[in-house]
Each structure stands twice: as structure tokens, then as C-alpha cells.
């Protein structure tokens, strides 16, 4: 669990700097995929899924 959280923080930090410097390419795609993969292994996965579901329901009700 500690390693997973550390990897999420690392990938999130790298992704933030890649987005900020506007150097998006294959490397950024790999970092984003790794960030998502490790984020799914944390306790944040359930609230993120609930938020996505509520946003989808809100948009479909418009």
C-alpha cells in the first residue's frame, strides 16, 4: 500500500510537470497510464468512480 501511494504521488507529480511544460507525447501518455493504474489500487478509486458516475448521470439528465 505504501509503495502504491508513493507511485501515485510520483506519477502525479511527473504528469503535472509534463502538462505544465506542454511537452505531451508518448512519454506523457505512459506516465498518465501508470498514474491511473496505480491510482486504481488506492482507496481513492471508489470515490473517483462515484464522482464519475454522478457526473455521467448529471449530464444525461440535462
Amino acid at each position: 500500500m505504501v509503495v502504491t501511494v508513493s507511485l501515485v504521488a510520483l506519477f502525479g507529480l511527473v504528469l503535472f510537470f509534463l502538462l505544465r511544460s506542454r511537452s505531451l507525447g508518448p512519454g506523457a501518455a505512459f506516465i498518465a497510464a501508470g498514474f491511473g493504474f496505480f491510482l486504481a489500487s488506492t482507496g481513492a478509486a471508489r470515490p473517483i468512480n462515484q464522482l464519475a458516475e454522478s457526473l455521467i448521470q448529471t449530464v444525461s439528465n440535462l
Side-chain angles (χ1 to χ4, degrees), residues 48-59:
I48 291 171
N49 287 335
Q50 290 174 344
L51 176 65
E53 287 176 10
S54 66
L55 286 174
I56 290 170
Q57 288 177 356
T58 301
V59 169

Side-chain angles (χ1 to χ4, degrees), residues 1-59:
M1 179 75 173
V2 174
V3 173
T4 303
V5 172
S6 299
L7 288 174
V8 168
L10 175 68
F11 279 121
L13 187 64
V14 171
L15 182 59
F16 171 77
F17 284 115
L18 286 173
L19 290 172
R20 189 166 182 216
S21 68
R22 297 179 191 225
S23 59
L24 298 174
F30 175 77
I31 296 297
F35 178 73
F37 177 79
F38 288 111
L39 184 63
S41 302
T42 66
R46 184 179 170 113
I48 291 171
N49 287 335
Q50 290 174 344
L51 176 65
E53 287 176 10
S54 66
L55 286 174
I56 290 170
Q57 288 177 356
T58 301
V59 169

